[in-house]
Amino acid sequence: MAEHDYLNLHDFLRRLREKEPDRLNPEMTVFIFLIDEILSMAYDTYKETIKSFENGITLDDYYLLMERKCIFTRTYHRDLLKKLFQSGVLY
C-alpha cells in the first residue's frame, strides 16, 4: 500500500523532514487524457473519486470525504471535478 499521495506537496515536504527520502515509497500514477490537457493523480485519489461517484455521492459529501482523508483541498477538487464532468469522465 502506498505511503504518500505525492501530489500533496505540503504533506510530502513534511514527510521528507520526518523520514529519509529513500524510505518514501512511490505511488502508482494515473494519467487521464482530456481533449486539451493530461491530468495526473495518485492512483488512490483516482480510485476514490471514480468509486465515490459510481456509488452516487453528492458533490458536498465528496468534498467532505476528501477533506477528511486529507487528500488535496476543496479548490483543487472543484477544478478537477469540473474538468472530469466537462470531458465526460464523470457524469
Side-chain angles (χ1 to χ4, degrees), residues 9-84:
L9 181 59
H10 178 72
D11 188 45
F12 179 69
L13 294 174
R14 180 184 58 79
R15 285 177 179 255
L16 283 177
R17 284 191 300 271
E18 294 173 359
K19 290 185 173 186
E20 296 177 25
D22 61 336
R23 298 200 54 185
L24 292 175
N25 294 330
E27 290 189 353
M28 293 185 292
T29 302
V30 173
F31 296 94
I32 301 173
F33 292 80
L34 304 178
I35 291 173
D36 58 351
E37 86 181 275
I38 300 171
L39 298 177
S40 65
M41 66 181 72
Y43 177 76
D44 290 339
T45 303
Y46 168 78
K47 187 175 92 175
E48 192 69 45
T49 299
I50 299 301
K51 184 174 118 184
S52 295
F53 281 96
E54 284 178 349
N55 291 330
I57 196 168
T58 66
L59 285 175
D60 288 336
D61 287 342
Y62 175 78
Y63 294 138
L64 291 173
L65 174 67
M66 292 297 110
E67 287 176 7
R68 189 176 77 236
K69 291 187 172 201
C70 298
I71 303 176
F72 303 125
T73 64
R74 184 177 286 261
T75 303
Y76 171 83
H77 278 278
R78 187 178 314 127
D79 294 343
L80 172 67
L81 292 179
K82 180 179 177 183
K83 291 176 186 179
L84 294 177

